[in-house]
Amino acid sequence: MEIAVGALSGMVEALPGKLGELLQQEYDLLSGARGDVAFFQAELRTMNAAVVRCEALEEPDVQTTGWIAQVRDLAFDIEDWVDLFAHRVDAGGTHDATSHRFSRWIRRLTTIPDRHVIATELKELRARVVEVSELRKRYSLGPQIPSRHAPAVDPRIFALYADSAGLVGMDGPRDEVAEMVTGQDPDGLKVVSIVGMAGSGKTTLAREVYRLVNAGFKCRASVSVGRSSDVGKVLGDMLSQVDGRGRGDAGDVNQLIGRLRQHLQDKRYLVMIDDLWSVQTWEIIKHCFPENNLGSRIITTTRIEAVAKTAAGVHVYKTCLLDEADAETLFSQRAFGSVGGCPAHLKDVSAQIMKKCGGLPLAIVSVGGLLASKVRTTDEFERSGLEWRTNSELQGLKQIIKLSYSDLPANLKACLLHLSIFPENHEIEIERLARRWVAEGFINEQRGTSMEETARNYISELIGRNLIQPSQLNHDGTHRSYVLHPVIHDFIICKSMEDNFVALVHAQQQDVPPVNGTVRRLSLLNSGKHDQAAAQIDGAKVSRARSITVFSHTGRTPRLNELSVLRVLDLEGCQGPLCLDGLYKLLLLRYLNLKGTDVSNLPAQIGELRCLETLDVRSTKVKELPPSILRLEKLMHLLAGNAKLPSGITKMKSLLTLSCSNIGKSADADIIQELSNMASLRELELFCNVPRASEDKKQVAFPSDGFQSLKKLSIRCSLPSVTFVTDALSKVEVLELKFEEGLSKESSGVSGVEHLSGLKHMIIEFSQHDVGAAAAMAAVKKTTEKVHPNCQVIIMSVDKKIGK
């Protein structure tokens, strides 16, 4: 069982179970080792209650923060010890009953050095567990009460009291939302929700609409809920506004709901409910509003799309970021007092500042207002306008973003912080991220749902909370990639550095910067020629790293033989020669991404990576995979691209995703037949080269009754030469056909599409547009639309000649 490190409490809670599994195994533990492991179990269980309480503190003191850091390091090191134990003591693998006693004796002799190391490590870990436990008792961390104090001053003060005359880019959204509020069903009760990321102007927009439409309503109220809401206080405030008597004191919620319903029963009312954070809070508040067929209206604002949809159904307006012109107008007003007031010597730095603000109104207002009081020099504007992480004068902006972070469940907090490894404005593929999260242990197992599917659900929730922004969509409408807004990215980098979650190293840094604790995740940033001369990272300083991600030249990558507990190695897109010496020794490695690198060969001993789940060598110079890869029993995603597979691929029983090239070569004519017997396969990508001389014969033929679990099939061919027989690929829902050019004669080159009974989405693409390509596209589309009327067919053609 892999520990989900979404929260420290999750780690500490799961560790005793993992230690228990170790005790149940038939390993020959050293004398006293079982007692040490049992001791770890008991102590960690007692620590967990204190950890849970400490995690709930939004502003922990220095002692608590220090203790949490020690527990985190201890938990990581214990888990590393457990995971490495089996590899070091049971390196010989499995043994049958007849040789069990002899092999056990041999194993004792051959692992004596490792056993002495294990004994020393256990002694050190036990001392640390005792020390951390004593600190807990000394600090009395157990009985603390979590604090959820609201800020003394509402950080949304600008939005609450904004002057309408100074607003920018508001007219269009205001009129659109006002029409949503007043239009349709004039007599029924309607709720309109405004949703968007933190600081996007939701409250300002709602107040403008409220002011615009309120004349026609006899009863009006505007209340703010907030994340740590007192529902009784909110209802009391609402009652005092609609009734005009008494104060807005909190009271019994049921009584307040009854009084509000009674007062509003025969009146046309308009209520603005700002800053909703949960469906549960809305489910209570909504009972205050009687459906009296008088055309009453409710306007809500929220950062969370699930809350908006629950409250308003289809009547949801999503705020947009300011375009470049409006952002420049707002910034000029705030920083220089007038539109076009930017001095010539500040135009370049002002453009950089506006890019960093990313069209987010709150960021532009906060930074612009700060700069208005500064000396108008380039150095001052760079220091105050671009270096946000160390600028205490931007606390209001940081507090707004922090509210969204604090509201996340513990597992999503770790997932969000993990995104700090990527450079600013980097487009992140969801498929890549989901597999990384699984490999790093961020994902809890859920019955009936794969861990990768759970990871995708986590990503969807972060999108729904407007913390990440969708960038590209797949042809079936699902998300393919996303980006982080620069303001969110800046915040999570600050938070990651505070918590020692990730160590970031830029090209200008010669080594890992000093951190408070052990480096567990390393990201090497700034790819490009300018960082080729930077020194290689000292592996000794990152020897306990669990993940290493490189966006720079490969020369900075630490030596692999010093990274014994590495789980993730992601070098996608790195340039320069790549040394994989020692790769086969990374016994805990789960994710290896070499896509787009200059690697040409994989180590022959890659089969030693028994924990590997994902291997990606697409777009590399690797021509053939080593035979030992067949020993990777846990490998789920093998993305070989144009590399040739070794024979016997069906031995890999865990494969879910396969990308490979073997098609179009006579020696490998039966490869599709072999792959069709892989019961676990869900996605298949085939690369093939069809010689024009054989165009009369289908080179890529899919047999009946094969690929029983396949959901997605992608074929990339030089020429269209594909056929599907009756009963072939009955479970395939997505079919992608990508060809370079059509056949010389007017023939589609693709037959049997009508046999794909489960088809829902089909994409056919040609790199060159010619007569054969046009014929193929028309024929396939006609057949598909006739036989599969509910299938979405997308035709794409990219003419290389035109592109030149």
Side-chain angles (χ1 to χ4, degrees):
M1 181 187 72
E2 173 64 21
I3 290 177
V5 296
L8 179 56
S9 57
M11 292 184 67
V12 179
E13 184 179 14
L15 263 176
K18 192 162 190 176
L19 290 164
E21 291 178 8
L22 180 63
L23 289 174
Q24 292 173 11
Q25 302 297 321
E26 294 184 0
Y27 294 122
D28 227 357
L29 290 175
L30 290 170
S31 175
R34 287 188 177 274
D36 286 332
V37 172
F39 171 76
F40 293 164
Q41 275 188 298
E43 285 298 314
L44 288 167
R45 286 194 176 107
T46 60
M47 283 183 198
N48 189 51
V51 169
V52 171
R53 291 187 175 93
C54 290
E55 283 191 331
L57 299 171
E58 293 191 359
E59 298 295 339
D61 58 28
V62 176
Q63 283 185 336
T64 302
T65 302
W67 185 76
I68 285 290
Q70 290 191 48
V71 175
R72 181 185 296 113
D73 267 354
L74 179 60
F76 275 130
D77 288 341
I78 291 177
E79 187 191 12
D80 289 343
W81 182 86
V82 172
D83 287 346
L84 282 172
F85 178 84
H87 293 283
R88 294 189 294 191
V89 175
D90 196 25
T94 57
H95 308 274
D96 57 49
T98 58
S99 63
H100 180 73
R101 182 176 299 177
F102 178 74
S103 62
R104 185 175 177 181
W105 179 72
I106 291 294
R107 197 161 67 251
R108 272 180 170 274
L109 291 177
T110 57
T111 60
I112 285 176
D114 278 332
R115 288 169 177 271
H116 283 296
V117 172
I118 290 168
T120 301
E121 290 173 346
L122 272 176
K123 184 177 180 180
E124 293 173 352
L125 286 173
R126 183 183 180 106
R128 287 173 61 191
V129 170
V130 171
E131 180 183 0
V132 171
S133 184
E134 287 299 321
L135 283 176
R136 174 183 60 83
K137 297 172 185 176
R138 190 183 311 160
Y139 295 159
S140 301
L141 295 173
Q144 291 188 46
I145 299 174
S147 62
R148 293 191 179 276
H149 300 300
V153 178
D154 194 327
R156 298 170 303 121
I157 194 78
F158 164 76
L160 293 170
Y161 300 104
D163 181 5
S164 298
L167 299 178
V168 175
M170 189 61 65
D171 292 351
R174 180 198 60 204
D175 294 343
E176 187 174 344
V177 177
E179 176 60 28
M180 292 174 67
V181 171
T182 57
Q184 299 179 346
D185 193 13
D187 296 329
L189 174 64
K190 182 195 287 187
V191 181
V192 174
S193 285
I194 300 172
V195 65
M197 71 176 289
S200 61
K202 301 181 297 295
T203 299
T204 304
L205 176 57
R207 284 200 164 272
E208 286 300 294
V209 174
Y210 182 81
R211 291 169 183 165
L212 183 63
V213 305
N214 68 13
F217 297 87
K218 185 175 181 180
C219 279
R220 299 183 295 272
S222 175
V223 295
S224 182
V225 179
R227 178 170 166 262
S228 302
S229 60
D230 181 340
V231 176
K233 179 65 168 62
V234 172
L235 299 184
D237 288 344
M238 193 186 307
L239 182 61
S240 69
Q241 293 180 51
V242 299
D243 193 4
R245 297 175 295 175
R247 299 168 55 192
D249 295 330
D252 180 78
V253 171
N254 291 330
Q255 290 183 8
L256 288 168
I257 290 174
R259 291 173 62 188
L260 278 162
R261 288 186 65 88
Q262 183 179 8
H263 186 82
L264 299 174
Q265 187 62 52
D266 58 351
K267 298 177 181 66
R268 186 169 189 253
Y269 53 87
L270 173 66
V271 179
M272 173 180 159
I273 304 173
D274 186 35
D275 204 23
L276 268 173
W277 282 85
S278 72
V279 171
Q280 292 78 7
T281 300
W282 167 251
E283 292 293 343
I284 296 172
I285 293 176
K286 75 176 186 179
H287 292 296
C288 300
F289 309 119
E291 171 57 88
N292 53 17
N293 292 318
L294 294 175
S296 298
R297 297 291 186 263
I298 300 167
I299 304 170
T300 71
T301 71
T302 181
R303 306 180 186 193
I304 304 171
E305 292 184 10
V307 176
K309 292 176 181 177
T310 300
V314 297
H315 304 296
V316 175
Y317 179 86
K318 185 163 185 177
T319 56
C320 299
L321 300 172
L322 295 179
D323 61 28
E324 188 174 337
D326 284 338
E328 184 176 357
T329 297
L330 183 58
F331 180 77
S332 294
Q333 287 180 352
R334 293 287 161 179
F336 307 113
S338 63
V339 179
C342 179
H345 69 285
L346 294 178
K347 285 190 178 296
D348 288 345
V349 67
S350 294
Q352 295 177 48
I353 293 170
M354 283 186 284
K355 182 179 179 181
K356 189 174 182 68
C357 291
L360 189 67
L362 180 66
I364 296 171
V365 168
S366 300
V367 178
L370 171 64
L371 294 175
S373 62
K374 301 296 182 181
V375 178
R376 295 184 179 181
T377 65
T378 301
D379 288 346
E380 184 59 47
F381 266 52
E382 288 179 348
R383 181 167 51 253
S384 299
L386 293 174
E387 298 175 8
W388 296 1
R389 296 169 201 167
T390 57
N391 196 331
S392 60
E393 295 178 275
L394 293 175
Q395 284 302 315
L397 173 61
K398 295 173 184 176
Q399 180 63 26
I400 286 284
I401 306 301
K402 185 179 178 181
L403 288 173
S404 290
Y405 172 79
S406 298
D407 192 62
L408 289 173
N411 51 356
L412 288 183
K413 286 181 179 176
C415 291
L416 183 65
L417 292 184
H418 175 261
L419 304 183
S420 61
I421 68 172
F422 295 97
E424 188 173 301
N425 297 316
H426 188 83
E427 191 166 295
I428 307 167
E429 290 186 358
I430 287 177
E431 188 176 79
R432 174 187 184 186
L433 187 69
R435 292 169 184 170
R436 283 197 53 150
W437 283 357
V438 171
E440 291 217 37
F442 293 163
I443 309 301
N444 289 304
E445 291 187 58
Q446 296 182 8
R447 183 176 297 178
T449 305
S450 70
M451 296 181 75
E452 193 168 328
E453 186 178 348
T454 299
R456 292 175 184 271
N457 291 338
Y458 285 6
I459 294 170
S460 296
E461 186 165 351
L462 290 174
I463 291 173
R465 287 172 173 267
N466 286 287
L467 284 166
I468 60 179
Q469 301 170 316
S471 177
Q472 293 188 31
L473 297 177
N474 292 311
H475 298 304
D476 59 0
T478 57
H479 296 124
R480 176 188 297 177
S481 61
Y482 70 88
V483 294
L484 276 167
H485 189 279
V487 174
I488 302 291
H489 185 261
D490 199 81
F491 170 81
I492 63 173
I493 285 181
C494 289
K495 188 63 180 169
S496 292
M497 294 172 68
E498 286 176 9
D499 295 350
N500 191 29
F501 194 87
V502 174
L504 304 174
V505 183
H506 296 270
Q508 61 269 27
Q509 296 172 297
Q510 291 301 307
D511 210 339
V512 180
V515 295
N516 296 320
T518 305
V519 174
R520 303 291 178 178
R521 299 175 190 89
L522 176 67
S523 179
L524 304 179
L525 301 169
N526 291 355
S527 60
K529 295 181 179 179
H530 63 276
D531 64 347
Q532 290 186 20
Q536 183 181 38
I537 297 298
D538 184 358
K541 294 184 178 180
V542 294
S543 62
R544 307 305 294 177
R546 293 173 154 226
S547 78
I548 293 180
T549 310
V550 183
F551 298 96
S552 59
H553 192 272
T554 53
R556 304 215 70 191
T557 308
R559 287 187 294 273
L560 299 182
N561 55 14
E562 298 177 293
L563 307 172
S564 61
V565 297
L566 197 68
R567 273 85 165 168
V568 171
L569 180 60
D570 193 341
L571 306 177
E572 181 174 327
C574 292
Q575 300 301 309
L578 185 59
C579 178
L580 297 180
D581 291 350
L583 176 67
Y584 71 95
K585 296 181 180 179
L586 305 182
L587 301 179
L588 302 184
L589 195 67
R590 294 177 173 86
Y591 181 94
L592 177 58
N593 186 0
L594 303 174
K595 181 181 179 181
T597 64
D598 293 336
V599 65
S600 55
N601 292 290
L602 294 178
Q605 311 99 312
I606 196 170
E608 298 297 317
L609 304 179
R610 290 186 285 171
C611 293
L612 197 64
E613 298 168 349
T614 297
L615 173 61
D616 193 344
V617 292
R618 291 173 294 179
S619 302
T620 65
K621 299 175 183 177
V622 175
K623 300 300 182 184
E624 188 170 352
L625 299 183
S628 69
I629 203 167
L630 301 179
R631 302 208 308 266
L632 300 177
E633 296 180 356
K634 294 184 178 181
L635 195 67
M636 294 185 289
H637 308 289
L638 176 55
L639 308 172
N642 278 310
K644 182 180 177 180
L645 300 176
S647 59
I649 191 68
T650 54
K651 296 177 182 178
M652 306 186 77
K653 304 298 185 183
S654 298
L655 271 188
L656 302 175
T657 308
L658 176 62
S659 169
C660 64
S661 173
N662 279 40
I663 313 303
K665 303 171 185 177
S666 57
D668 302 306
D670 61 345
I671 182 65
I672 293 183
Q673 182 64 52
E674 184 178 4
L675 296 179
S676 70
N677 297 320
M678 300 183 71
S680 61
L681 208 58
R682 300 293 189 273
E683 295 186 20
L684 176 62
E685 180 181 47
L686 295 175
F687 291 82
C688 52
N689 182 24
V690 178
R692 184 169 288 278
S694 63
E695 63 183 48
D696 290 331
K697 179 182 178 182
K698 294 292 187 296
Q699 296 296 306
V700 187
F702 290 87
S704 61
D705 301 324
F707 298 102
Q708 292 299 310
S709 301
L710 199 66
K711 296 287 187 181
K712 180 178 179 180
L713 173 64
S714 299
I715 301 174
R716 299 170 185 267
C717 257
S718 54
L719 293 171
S721 183
V722 180
T723 187
F724 307 100
V725 302
T726 305
D727 297 327
L729 305 171
S730 60
K731 298 289 181 64
V732 167
E733 298 177 356
V734 179
L735 176 63
E736 295 182 353
L737 302 173
K738 299 186 178 183
F739 307 117
E740 291 182 11
E741 56 184 312
L743 299 176
S744 57
K745 59 186 179 180
E746 294 191 11
S747 169
S748 73
V750 179
S751 62
V753 174
E754 63 273 14
H755 300 314
L756 307 181
S757 56
L759 199 60
K760 295 180 180 179
H761 301 275
M762 181 173 178
I763 301 95
I764 181 168
E765 175 182 329
F766 280 86
S767 299
Q768 298 182 29
H769 189 70
D770 52 30
V771 175
M777 290 188 289
V780 172
K781 183 177 181 181
K782 181 179 179 180
T783 301
T784 305
E785 291 179 343
K786 180 180 178 180
V787 181
H788 306 293
N790 297 321
C791 177
Q792 179 189 23
V793 181
I794 299 175
I795 301 292
M796 294 184 291
S797 178
V798 181
D799 196 325
K800 292 181 180 179
K801 295 179 181 178
I802 296 175
K804 294 181 181 178

